[in-house]
Amino acid sequence: MDEPLDPVTGRIIGCAITLHRFLGPGLLESVYHTGLAIEMARAEIPFESKRLVEIQYHGVKLGEFYPDFIVENEVVVEINGASSHGVKSFLCVPVATSVAAARCVQVISVTLAG
């Protein structure tokens, strides 16, 4: 049996589906990024875009990255490029708020077909 979606993750996925239904597949990642930002703002979902996140392990910096979005300081959203079928996928990863992306609790990957 599938676990129910976290309310935050469910709202993000709803925004991604709305965007994908309107735009369809095959556009540049930057277009989907801007569109998802607009859709989440319209849904009054608090987010940050391209915020620097440091990954540490036992106090040692392993690296850093700029996720597409950090939503409500608890979910990292990555928009993946188009596949060979022209399908965009949106990856939502719940993270620990103290060190974003250092400890993943679950991964939800939603692939939106055209």
Side-chain angles (χ1 to χ4, degrees):
M1 175 183 264
D2 292 334
E3 291 183 34
L5 289 178
D6 169 273
V8 174
T9 304
R11 291 181 68 206
I12 297 165
I13 292 170
C15 288
I17 290 170
T18 298
L19 176 66
H20 192 267
R21 283 182 179 154
F22 184 83
L23 294 178
L27 300 174
L28 294 174
E29 185 174 318
S30 61
V31 172
Y32 291 102
H33 182 275
T34 302
L36 188 56
I38 291 167
E39 195 59 41
M40 288 192 299
R42 286 174 38 116
E44 299 181 356
I45 299 172
F47 66 90
E48 294 176 81
S49 178
K50 304 287 185 181
R51 182 179 90 187
L52 172 66
V53 175
E54 272 191 12
I55 306 299
Q56 294 193 8
Y57 180 71
H58 293 290
V60 178
K61 181 179 173 182
L62 297 177
E64 58 189 35
F65 74 110
Y66 295 86
D68 288 322
F69 299 101
I70 299 178
V71 179
E72 292 192 5
N73 208 35
E74 67 178 73
V75 179
V76 170
V77 178
E78 280 295 318
I79 302 171
N80 300 316
S83 74
S84 59
H85 303 343
V87 174
K88 302 298 293 182
S89 67
F90 298 82
L91 177 68
C92 301
V93 184
V95 296
T97 56
S98 58
V99 183
R103 290 179 234 150
C104 297
V105 177
Q106 71 183 57
V107 176
I108 301 168
S109 181
V110 178
T111 302
L112 306 172

